[in-house]
Amino acid sequence: MQKTLIPAVLVAAALSCQAPQPQEPEPMKPQKIVVYQVFTRLFGNTNTTNKPWGTKEENGVGKFNDFTDTALEEIKKLGISHIWYTGVPHHGVIGDFPEIGVNSDDPDIIKGRAGSPYAVRDYYQVNPDLAVDVTKRMEEFEALIARTHKHDMKVIIDIVPNHVSRFYEGKNNPAGVRDFGADDDKMVEYTKNNNFYYIPGKAFQVPEPKNGYQPLGGEKHPLADGKFDENPAKWTGNGSRLAQPDFYDWYETVKINYGVSPDGKKDFDELPSGAEKLDWKAHYDFWQGKDVPDSWEKFKDITQFWLGKGVDGFRFDMAEMVPVEFWSYLNSHIKKTNPEAFLLAEVYNPNLYRDYIHKGKMDYLYDKVELYDTLKHIIQGHGSTDNLVPILAGLKDIQHHMLHFLENHDEQRISSPEFAGNPWKAMPAMVVSATVSTSPTMIYFGQEVGEPGAEDAGFGDPSRTSIFDYIGVPQHQKWMNGGKFDGGQLSENEKALRNYYSEVLNFTRNSSALMGEYLELHTFNRYENPDYTNKAFAFARWDDSQKLIVVTNFDEFKSVKTTLKLSPELLKAWNLKAGEREIKEVMFGKKKTKLRVTSEGAEIDLDFGPWESAVFEIQ
């Protein structure tokens, strides 16, 4: 990673943080959720070759067993409550596994050499690449679930209801379970209980490649002939109705039919009026005895299978492409089995947020389009913190349900030149993201040590760690330190960065105020204080036992030397006594300042360096 300059005050604060001891005090309840997303295939890989389009023999591949007790304990100490193991279900992959009777997928309909985790080939098994002994791959994953639980963290896996692999092959179906499409009438485009949509009379054609693309980077393979046998052709996963989809379509997948006809007619019962006000139990009752499409039942059975394995929740891919009624059906059945199940959905249309939360019974949605995009713009030096105020106000009624993140597998790495180039630029945004609401916080493995995703992996492009290829993750590998998971190869700057993340995340896990009330102080200060700029952002968080003021400085070059004025609304809520008192930072515990309360108002002295943040507790 290119050497970066960071403010000394940030390094000093971060390095001074002691990693939390395994024996932590009894946490407060309710408590913030912190999710660690990890790309399972990449986590434990220590191979540093990183050859473009490299095989797993050349570039290495991580295994379930790489998540040792030591690794899991270090993840836990970062402040993590849930691990999202991305890429667990058996998806399309190049290579034969004769021990289990699984043949290679066709490179013409596979993206990358390792395959997309969102082209699931068999929902009742795990990716054989992830096992040391492929004949015991499920047992190895079950052992990982048990280890994760032993370290007091919950397990999340992906479910991808909108589409499956173009070559779905259920070799491990439980008794009575039929494959997707096994009973379809392929002579018609649509009927309610077909699992797929068809293009009768036309055979599938592999897309015309663009930009010089060749499967496997041009390597010879017996199946890489520009052909794939599918007749009649099926609709493609992103909804393309062409027998030859475009190269940029999701051509490796086929779309699932949920009982919605090509012209949009719904062949299932719609939710009753007022369903958005009913709990999951009422939704579960509503669906009893109803005739639902076959695909609904298949995904219900799939999620019940994984709940039975001990999985604690699911991340649902592209949920908005599936009707909200299905989510009511599926999620109420999940909650019937496990009322505490964690249900996270990828939804990008803000106009649909409330339907998928209230009618679809999702626990959490990505806050990507509004909060993430705005924070990214600010981090890059283009945006104004003024823009955060209306976003947070507009989401107030559903703020708890909007999961916050600055990285995930779809987004650019903060440290990449295409995003910020320097991971410390994002630290004010990390503080805001993690403390501004009661919603969960998520980080992506390697984020905490400044991974830039710079590799030319093959199908995957630099700036994002490839999900399609066998690749090493260099910064993360330095933290892994050959399986010691002690950060032994990290520089002092990189250790400081990880300590910073640890301090922020552990603080959010154990602060009761962050599960309480919120009041922004930004607007009041922008009107009342000309020295408080649109590069700062401040707000209050509190409950009956704790009062906090959070202040951040997004400016890369300028310090903040001014006063923060507390609004009349906050003074009324807190009923602060007149006088001057010393207050101190409670996240890093280094900064002290003065709070003055008079009959005319209240203010806090601020002296912040570039990219610096603080959380002050008011006694």
Side-chain angles (χ1 to χ4, degrees):
M1 180 184 177
Q2 185 178 5
K3 188 174 181 180
T4 56
L5 296 177
I6 59 177
V9 65
L10 292 184
V11 179
L15 283 173
S16 69
C17 302
Q18 296 299 312
Q21 298 303 308
Q23 296 81 21
E24 295 179 357
E26 185 68 24
M28 301 176 184
K29 299 293 183 182
Q31 193 175 24
K32 285 269 281 189
I33 288 172
V34 180
V35 179
Y36 188 76
Q37 183 195 0
V38 57
F39 203 82
T40 315
R41 183 206 303 143
L42 304 182
F43 177 86
N45 182 20
T46 58
N47 187 313
T48 59
T49 304
N50 284 359
K51 173 186 174 182
W53 291 100
T55 65
K56 58 191 170 190
E57 290 78 18
E58 293 170 321
N59 282 357
V61 61
K63 307 291 184 180
F64 292 131
N65 290 356
D66 294 326
F67 292 89
T68 63
D69 284 308
T70 300
L72 291 168
E73 189 56 33
E74 292 303 315
I75 292 171
K76 173 69 189 298
K77 289 196 294 187
L78 192 59
I80 304 303
S81 60
H82 294 61
I83 301 183
W84 165 17
Y85 292 106
T86 306
V88 167
H90 183 181
H91 58 76
V93 62
I94 304 300
D96 297 322
F97 296 90
E99 309 97 316
I100 52 175
V102 171
N103 296 324
S104 174
D105 281 87
D106 189 326
D108 293 305
I109 56 158
I110 292 292
K111 290 181 177 177
R113 184 182 293 276
S116 168
Y118 297 105
V120 176
R121 171 172 165 170
D122 185 347
Y123 259 117
Y124 289 100
Q125 238 329 331
V126 298
N127 179 4
D129 270 345
L130 303 177
V132 174
D133 180 349
V134 294
T135 67
K136 297 180 179 179
R137 58 202 185 284
M138 183 62 79
E139 290 91 333
E140 290 186 23
F141 181 56
E142 291 170 343
L144 175 55
I145 295 172
R147 282 199 305 281
T148 307
H149 288 164
K150 183 176 74 172
H151 290 274
D152 196 28
M153 293 180 289
K154 296 185 181 298
V155 172
I156 303 165
I157 66 168
D158 293 278
I159 297 291
V160 192
N162 180 64
H163 49 271
V164 294
S165 167
R166 194 132 229 145
F167 178 60
Y168 190 91
E169 184 184 37
K171 283 182 168 290
N172 304 276
N173 295 346
V177 171
R178 299 276 290 166
D179 262 6
F180 285 99
D183 301 311
D184 282 4
D185 179 356
K186 299 179 182 180
M187 303 305 293
V188 297
E189 181 179 30
Y190 164 84
T191 187
K192 173 181 175 177
N193 286 314
N194 271 3
N195 298 137
F196 303 126
Y197 298 92
Y198 294 90
I199 308 172
K202 293 186 177 181
F204 172 77
Q205 297 179 62
V206 173
E208 288 290 336
K210 296 181 179 179
N211 303 319
Y213 172 80
Q214 293 178 294
L216 305 182
E219 178 185 308
K220 297 292 184 183
H221 189 283
L223 296 177
D225 57 2
K227 300 176 183 177
F228 179 71
D229 185 16
E230 179 183 289
N231 194 2
K234 305 180 182 77
W235 287 15
T236 293
N238 62 322
S240 172
R241 306 182 186 189
L242 301 175
Q244 184 177 34
D246 186 81
F247 180 73
Y248 293 115
D249 288 329
W250 304 347
Y251 62 82
E252 77 277 27
T253 67
V254 290
K255 186 168 179 61
I256 296 290
N257 165 23
Y258 282 92
V260 180
S261 69
D263 62 2
K265 179 179 177 293
K266 295 180 177 180
D267 279 330
F268 48 79
D269 291 272
E270 298 202 42
L271 292 168
S273 176
E276 68 277 4
K277 299 176 182 178
L278 301 176
D279 63 14
W280 68 259
K281 296 176 183 177
H283 280 247
Y284 177 84
D285 290 341
F286 172 78
W287 292 110
Q288 299 313 295
K290 297 289 195 298
D291 180 23
V292 299
D294 183 74
S295 295
W296 293 31
E297 295 187 16
K298 279 186 165 59
F299 272 102
K300 179 199 70 175
D301 292 343
I302 288 164
T303 53
Q304 292 295 317
F305 172 83
W306 289 108
L307 291 171
K309 296 289 184 185
V311 167
D312 303 291
F314 305 103
R315 180 267 191 186
F316 297 123
D317 186 78
M318 295 308 297
E320 68 191 81
M321 298 180 76
V322 178
V324 73
E325 292 87 354
F326 164 75
W327 294 114
S328 163
Y329 170 86
L330 182 73
N331 289 339
S332 62
H333 279 80
I334 291 171
K335 293 288 189 181
K336 178 71 173 178
T337 301
N338 178 6
E340 303 301 316
F342 178 100
L343 305 178
L344 168 64
E346 184 184 26
V347 175
Y348 294 136
N349 183 349
N351 293 326
L352 297 176
Y353 286 171
R354 287 160 183 81
D355 275 354
Y356 279 79
I357 292 167
H358 300 311
K359 294 181 180 179
K361 296 303 159 192
M362 294 295 182
D363 294 321
Y364 307 107
L365 310 179
Y366 277 21
D367 198 346
K368 193 274 181 194
V369 173
E370 296 185 310
L371 186 63
Y372 167 84
D373 283 351
T374 303
L375 285 172
K376 182 176 183 179
H377 205 224
I378 297 169
I379 292 166
Q380 293 176 321
H382 310 306
S384 165
T385 52
D386 294 345
N387 296 325
L388 294 171
V389 175
I391 287 172
L392 294 167
L395 294 171
K396 183 178 180 180
D397 62 312
I398 55 171
Q399 58 86 19
H400 178 69
H401 301 281
M402 304 304 298
L403 174 133
H404 295 172
F405 62 88
L406 295 180
E407 282 191 3
N408 65 44
H409 68 278
D410 285 320
E411 306 300 338
Q412 292 174 325
R413 291 287 196 174
I414 294 165
S415 295
S416 69
E418 294 83 355
F419 187 156
N422 185 337
W424 291 93
K425 284 187 179 182
M427 290 307 96
M430 188 64 218
V431 171
V432 170
S433 178
T435 63
V436 79
S437 78
T438 65
S439 66
T441 303
M442 184 174 78
I443 68 168
Y444 188 39
F445 86 115
Q447 175 182 343
E448 73 276 22
V449 290
E451 171 58 39
E455 294 71 42
D456 177 8
F459 189 88
D461 294 324
S463 82
R464 295 173 176 84
T465 295
S466 176
I467 65 172
F468 306 104
D469 304 289
Y470 299 112
I471 201 73
V473 184
Q475 289 297 106
H476 171 73
Q477 289 175 327
K478 290 164 70 175
W479 171 74
M480 275 201 303
N481 194 21
K484 295 179 182 178
F485 301 99
D486 60 1
Q489 298 177 34
L490 296 173
S491 69
E492 291 302 297
N493 281 0
E494 292 154 359
K495 290 177 182 177
L497 183 69
R498 193 173 191 277
N499 283 350
Y500 198 105
Y501 273 97
S502 179
E503 186 75 4
V504 172
L505 297 176
N506 277 286
F507 176 76
T508 66
R509 289 279 291 151
N510 292 289
S511 169
S512 66
L514 297 185
M515 295 304 291
E517 301 298 319
Y518 161 82
L519 182 66
E520 60 98 355
L521 301 173
H522 181 80
T523 304
F524 183 71
N525 280 272
R526 290 284 280 144
Y527 279 113
E528 298 291 329
N529 184 355
D531 293 326
Y532 177 96
T533 74
N534 69 347
K535 295 296 184 182
F537 195 69
F539 51 92
R541 300 298 313 276
W542 74 95
D543 67 357
D544 291 340
S545 61
Q546 189 179 43
K547 298 180 178 67
L548 303 177
I549 299 289
V550 182
V551 189
T552 58
N553 177 21
F554 284 84
D555 201 297
E556 182 176 355
F557 305 106
K558 295 180 181 178
S559 297
V560 174
K561 292 185 178 181
T562 183
T563 58
L564 179 76
K565 299 181 183 299
L566 306 190
S567 65
E569 186 179 358
L570 184 62
L571 290 177
K572 181 179 179 181
W574 284 8
N575 192 28
L576 295 176
K577 294 180 180 180
E580 182 176 284
R581 72 194 81 174
E582 183 179 81
I583 60 174
K584 67 178 183 178
E585 196 178 359
V586 289
M587 192 163 64
F588 293 108
K590 292 296 178 183
K591 188 179 290 293
K592 297 179 181 179
T593 189
K594 299 288 186 181
L595 167 66
R596 291 180 295 277
V597 181
T598 69
S599 58
E600 297 180 356
E603 60 185 21
I604 296 172
D605 291 330
L606 299 181
D607 186 358
F608 276 30
W611 301 335
E612 195 174 357
S613 304
V615 180
F616 296 107
E617 184 167 13
I618 311 300
Q619 300 290 344

